Amino acid sequence: MSGDLPGIAPSADVLALLDSDPHGCAMAAAVRDQDAVIVDFKLVYLNEAGGRFLGRPREELIGRGYRELWPDTVTDGTLPFYRRVVQERVPAVRTVYYDRASVTGHFEFRVVPFGDGFIARFVDLSKLTMGAQTEGGTRLYEALDAAFDGFALLRAVRDDDGTIAAFTREYVNQIGAKLAGRTVEELVGHRVSETSASSTELGLLPFFRQVADGGEPWQQQLTSPTTGQVWELKVTRVDVDVVAVSYRDVTEQVGHQLQLESSAAQVRAAATRTAALQTVTAALVAASTPEQVYDALGEVVRSSAGGNSLAVLLTEQDRLVLRYHAGYEDHVVAALRALPLSHPYPATGVSTTGQPRYLGSPEEFARAQLDTRVAVPGGGRAAWAFLPLSTGGQVLGALVIGYPRPRQFDEDERENLIAFSRLAAQALQRAFLFQAQLSIAADLQRALLPTALPTLRGARHAVRYLPWTQGADIGGDWYDVIQIDPDTAAVVIGDVAGHSPQAAAMMGQLRNAIRAYAADGHSPTGVMRRVNELLLRFEPHAMATCCYLELHLTEGTATAVLAGHPPPVLRVDGHARCLPLRTGPPLGVRGAHYHDSTFLLPSGCSLVLYTDGLVEDRRYPLDQGLTDLLAALDSAPTDNPEDLVEHLVKADIGPYPRRDDVAILALTVTAAPPPGPRTARRRFRGDATSTSAARHFADDILAAWDQHPLREDAGLILGEVIANAVQHTAGDVEVRITMGQRLRIDVHDSSNRRPVKRSIDSSSDTGRGMHIIERLAHAWGSAPLPGTGKTVWFELRPPEQRA
């Protein structure tokens, strides 16, 4: 502990105290960059309660950085808050509510500086009143969810014989305190009789006792005899000796109800109109397309208004065009198809002036259209209401309701019909706007995603993009297939955080950057590192996840990099498994390091890449979603990528309804490895990262080929050869691994300088590379390449061939 928090080491007594604390306690050490600026904090201690509150074992958290553990909270001010505590050496308190993938809860943090870091005590406020060791907090909030505006928690105080003598108010929300005419500080911690005389006046204490002892909820409306206030109260037992009291002041509502009850006729009329409007509103609010609005009008508005037919005519340039009709005869429909705005049909005037018109008899209808040659026939109707579809000062057209019998439209009915028409106009306007947004969003999404993917030699692929099921927001999910050379391709899938045009634009930039770096010949880790640097430079607050795979189809291998993204799934011989790849942080994290993983691609296998919307959201855990995905792939009847993707789309995978976009890319390998010894080849940039990247590559390939005894020596020798090549040459370095009777590794570079074995002694700091190679290799050597450059090679014998 003292190494993580220099200057002060917590004593055993302090640690014992923190371990026994029922609330969360954590210690974190500052992580500083080369300029001594705090850039992150590493968790070095967490008590058991803290791990339980955070929902993850302590072993998964301790030793890891804040940015890695909770990447979706790094932009909410938390890190600057911790930084100020450490730098200013002043304790601080902060209350936060999280509903994120990495942490959920309502917490109060008390933070004090400690060495070059801090100690934080955090309390889960949702469980504060019930104790961290029980499930009471959950049950409590389930009760409060059903409560009225104000609520409080009361704990019973019992005397020596177990009888409840009083109640102490342990919690009250702000609204509850305001309704009681006090502050929260004046109420919490005091007995009810000390803080609320009204509880004694209303005789509530016996009911509190009844609920606490018996467990049956109690609910009633009571009037204070001194103030005349009317309260709606509900009392529920949520734990042993704890009751939740929810209440609201309904004095005004009760007064209104008494006024309404003074006239039974007015109440019935108002209730009828309200019910009709509510029915129409519910139907129209649920409609999101013009067709759905028309259906709602035909099913609800016509019957609610008492008519037997309905028509919707919309203004388009200088005409009224019939867009929907119900209950009209064919010859009437034919006459209504398109009317000039100068036509005498009453709907044209209504659409022009925005004023309704009511015709109560066939005679009135005939007088409105004196020219019988052009008159629209009335059909089987005897009265009409012509209503403007008006909203926001704009008249969209006219709504025509026909009635089977003559009628007089009184003032109340006219008001009701106008309300109907306004609701219809608003719904239509929303639907037109939503339809336009959907079209724009779909066009933009299609423009940002690749219009066509290249055909690969040795593999077939298929993709699906499933937009979010609600709204017209644009997602940041993307996929891509990049042909690097005839035998090498990259497949990519990623997800920019958020749903907005900005997220979609960022997605397009990232996709193009990945394409450029891949085409430039960078390794998978090089591509990911450069894309991360680009994102931090131009969009420092953005964040994205990505899975990048470089496929070498002729040799049957692939190299992958994960940047905070769910792992791809490999299906071989009908069985699917998540690939155990090295993982790195999401794109957009400063100081991020990425490491690649190499694995085999057997002929006939299938790879499935996907975005997290397929398998998780805040309601659905990732582990369950991955289980669903593996089960669906195990049950897939074919490895054809088109059929495989279609099977996954229709399978019961992950959350439903979905709240995020989903991208899926499936690829099936058709190439068979060439006959002869197994080979694998990779090109590395001549920089400082090449040595570790080459060693990872060799280690992964030999493990996949089941050559575990050779891995250590091969990695050590290869590291020396690569380091020598990087030190003495410029340009790329190529590594070729061949496994026949012996393991042979060739390293090609552009330098003509041959390796030289130098004399060394115990004080030499360099020059040991050739000695290590000569000691460990069965054979080694070097040879010039045609033109310029050289090859340094070495061989290792499997253990069974060694004397």
Side-chain angles (χ1 to χ4, degrees):
M1 187 72 69
S2 60
D4 292 313
L5 295 173
I8 301 179
S11 66
D13 292 340
V14 171
L15 290 178
L17 179 62
L18 297 180
D19 287 337
S20 64
D21 198 315
H23 300 296
C25 294
M27 291 185 182
V31 178
R32 298 178 182 268
D33 62 13
Q34 60 185 5
D35 298 321
V37 175
I38 298 177
V39 296
D40 201 355
F41 287 92
K42 182 175 71 172
L43 186 67
V44 299
Y45 168 82
L46 181 68
N47 68 355
E48 184 178 351
R52 185 168 56 253
F53 286 174
L54 297 175
R56 299 167 69 180
R58 292 187 290 176
E59 294 75 13
E60 291 183 9
L61 303 175
I62 294 175
R64 299 170 67 182
Y66 184 93
R67 290 179 179 273
E68 177 188 4
L69 291 171
W70 300 285
D72 47 4
T73 67
V74 297
T75 60
D76 67 352
T78 301
L79 285 179
F81 169 75
Y82 290 152
R83 192 181 296 120
R84 284 195 301 272
V85 170
V86 176
Q87 293 174 342
E88 298 174 7
R89 315 304 296 175
V90 176
V93 179
R94 186 171 188 249
T95 300
V96 294
Y97 179 81
Y98 286 132
D99 191 7
R100 311 288 177 85
S102 61
V103 59
T104 299
H106 190 180
F107 298 101
E108 178 187 82
F109 289 87
R110 295 182 178 272
V111 184
V112 297
F114 188 81
D116 190 23
F118 61 83
I119 295 179
R121 185 174 188 264
F122 52 100
V123 177
D124 187 342
L125 296 181
S126 67
K127 301 175 181 178
L128 177 61
T129 59
M130 301 304 297
Q133 307 300 324
T134 73
E135 297 178 357
T138 301
R139 298 198 301 275
L140 169 61
Y141 273 84
E142 290 175 352
L144 294 181
D145 285 341
F148 296 124
D149 298 342
F151 61 84
L153 295 175
L154 309 180
R155 181 175 293 278
V157 179
R158 298 182 180 270
D159 57 21
D160 294 339
D161 62 0
T163 303
I164 296 177
F167 284 89
T168 299
R169 187 178 274 104
E170 289 201 342
Y171 183 85
V172 63
N173 69 345
Q174 294 288 348
I175 296 176
K178 183 177 179 181
L179 289 175
R182 303 291 186 90
T183 66
V184 173
E185 290 75 15
E186 290 174 331
L187 296 174
V188 173
H190 298 279
R191 294 195 177 189
V192 172
S193 59
E194 299 172 352
T195 57
S196 178
S198 60
S199 296
T200 306
E201 287 179 3
L202 300 176
L204 295 180
L205 292 178
F207 298 107
F208 296 163
R209 293 191 188 98
Q210 176 184 325
V211 173
D213 287 332
E216 290 296 324
W218 177 82
Q219 182 173 348
Q220 194 166 334
Q221 190 177 93
L222 299 175
T223 302
S224 171
T226 56
T227 65
Q229 285 180 292
V230 183
W231 297 87
E232 187 82 35
L233 292 102
K234 180 179 179 181
V235 184
T236 306
R237 187 172 75 180
V238 295
D239 205 353
V240 177
D241 283 349
V242 178
V243 296
V245 182
S246 51
Y247 50 94
R248 60 178 173 179
D249 185 348
V250 295
T251 307
E252 185 176 351
Q253 296 91 315
V254 170
H256 290 163
Q257 183 66 28
L258 292 175
Q259 292 177 6
L260 291 173
E261 290 175 355
S262 65
S263 174
Q266 291 180 358
V267 171
R268 287 194 297 270
T272 300
R273 289 195 297 270
T274 300
L277 285 173
Q278 287 177 342
T279 302
V280 174
T281 301
L284 293 180
V285 167
S288 58
T289 66
E291 290 73 22
Q292 292 173 348
V293 174
Y294 299 146
D295 290 342
L297 291 174
E299 294 296 327
V300 181
V301 176
R302 180 163 54 93
S303 59
S304 298
N308 70 339
S309 59
L310 180 139
V312 177
L313 297 103
L314 300 181
T315 303
E316 298 181 8
Q317 296 181 344
D318 58 350
R319 300 182 305 162
L320 266 188
V321 178
L322 181 67
R323 288 303 179 194
Y324 175 80
H325 63 87
Y328 275 86
E329 300 84 357
D330 291 343
H331 68 287
V332 180
V333 171
L336 290 174
R337 285 294 182 194
L339 298 172
L341 291 179
S342 58
H343 194 281
Y345 185 62
T348 60
V350 169
S351 300
T352 303
T353 65
Q355 299 299 315
R357 188 172 180 182
Y358 304 95
L359 303 177
S361 67
E363 292 76 21
E364 291 184 43
F365 184 76
R367 288 195 295 270
Q369 302 181 93
L370 295 177
D371 189 348
T372 57
R373 295 173 302 171
V374 298
V376 175
R381 279 146 292 285
W384 293 259
F386 295 91
L387 309 167
L389 290 169
S390 177
T391 177
Q394 179 184 8
V395 181
L396 306 179
L399 174 66
V400 184
I401 302 176
Y403 300 83
R405 290 179 295 277
R407 67 192 294 130
Q408 294 298 317
F409 297 90
D410 60 30
E411 191 64 28
D412 286 343
E413 186 173 11
R414 293 187 181 198
E415 290 180 0
N416 201 31
L417 289 171
I418 287 297
F420 283 158
S421 67
R422 287 173 179 168
L423 287 171
Q426 292 168 5
L428 273 176
Q429 189 177 58
R430 286 196 305 270
F432 290 143
L433 179 60
F434 183 77
Q435 194 174 50
Q437 290 174 333
L438 280 178
S439 177
I440 294 171
D443 290 344
L444 178 57
Q445 195 78 61
R446 283 192 293 269
L448 292 173
L449 291 172
T451 55
L453 298 175
T455 300
L456 302 181
R457 186 170 66 186
R460 293 174 295 156
H461 52 74
V463 294
R464 288 290 188 280
Y465 182 83
L466 308 177
W468 188 23
T469 55
Q470 297 183 14
D473 288 334
I474 308 168
D477 295 31
W478 87 92
Y479 55 81
D480 209 350
V481 177
I482 307 166
Q483 186 79 59
I484 299 175
D485 60 44
D487 296 322
T488 309
V491 292
V492 189
I493 201 156
D495 183 4
V496 177
H499 288 83
S500 65
Q502 291 78 13
M506 177 55 57
M507 174 263 283
Q509 295 175 33
L510 289 179
R511 175 174 164 259
N512 288 334
I514 289 174
R515 282 192 158 217
Y517 290 132
D520 198 34
H522 291 284
S523 66
T525 52
V527 170
M528 209 57 55
R529 178 169 58 84
R530 286 167 173 80
V531 170
N532 187 54
E533 292 171 352
L534 187 72
L535 184 62
L536 288 170
R537 179 176 181 182
F538 293 106
E539 296 290 342
H541 302 298
M543 185 166 290
T545 66
C546 184
C547 174
Y548 180 97
L549 273 73
E550 185 179 275
L551 309 178
H552 297 258
L553 296 170
T554 56
E555 65 183 38
T557 66
T559 298
V561 174
L562 284 184
H565 201 83
V569 175
L570 181 68
R571 184 176 190 257
V572 181
D573 296 331
H575 178 69
R577 62 184 178 89
C578 290
L579 288 169
L581 306 179
R582 300 178 180 94
T583 60
L587 299 171
V589 175
R590 293 194 181 277
H593 296 284
Y594 300 101
H595 303 285
D596 56 32
S597 304
T598 299
F599 55 94
L600 300 184
L601 288 176
S603 180
C605 73
S606 294
L607 270 173
V608 176
L609 286 68
Y610 52 93
T611 52
D612 61 352
L614 178 67
V615 293
E616 69 168 337
D617 65 11
R618 60 186 180 85
R619 306 159 299 150
Y620 207 88
L622 176 61
D623 289 346
Q624 182 59 51
L626 291 177
T627 300
D628 297 343
L629 175 59
L630 294 177
L633 285 171
D634 283 345
S635 65
T638 175
D639 282 304
N640 180 281
E642 284 287 348
D643 297 337
L644 202 60
V645 170
E646 195 64 25
H647 177 77
L648 294 179
V649 169
K650 295 178 180 178
D652 186 15
I653 300 174
Y656 186 84
R658 300 199 186 282
R659 298 185 179 182
D660 197 1
D661 297 349
V662 173
I664 306 173
L665 189 154
L667 180 141
T668 299
V669 177
T670 58
R678 290 176 291 186
T679 62
R681 182 196 307 263
R682 291 294 185 274
R683 183 176 295 274
F684 301 94
R685 285 297 170 102
D687 53 32
T689 63
S690 297
T691 301
S692 61
R695 293 184 66 173
H696 277 154
F697 163 60
D699 191 67
D700 289 346
I701 281 293
L702 293 177
W705 288 346
D706 200 24
Q707 298 297 322
H708 299 280
L710 300 177
R711 291 164 61 189
E712 184 175 354
D713 288 352
L716 184 58
I717 299 174
L718 179 60
E720 293 293 337
V721 175
I722 292 287
N724 186 69
V726 170
Q727 182 180 1
H728 297 295
T729 187
D732 294 349
V733 177
E734 184 180 280
V735 176
R736 178 186 175 93
I737 303 177
T738 305
M739 189 67 219
Q741 292 295 320
R742 298 173 181 173
L743 172 67
R744 179 182 173 109
I745 298 182
D746 296 83
V747 179
H748 309 305
D749 61 48
S750 59
S751 171
N752 291 321
R753 178 176 176 174
R754 306 286 290 273
V756 177
K757 181 180 176 182
R758 292 183 291 171
S759 299
I760 61 171
D761 55 34
S762 59
S763 62
S764 300
D765 294 329
T766 60
R768 301 179 184 274
M770 293 299 102
H771 293 270
I772 293 175
I773 296 173
E774 190 174 70
R775 174 78 175 180
L776 297 179
H778 170 68
W780 74 279
S782 64
L785 292 173
T788 185
K790 68 176 181 299
T791 296
V792 177
W793 60 270
F794 64 89
E795 292 183 351
L796 292 174
R797 290 184 298 181
E800 61 271 14
Q801 296 182 17
R802 300 173 187 173

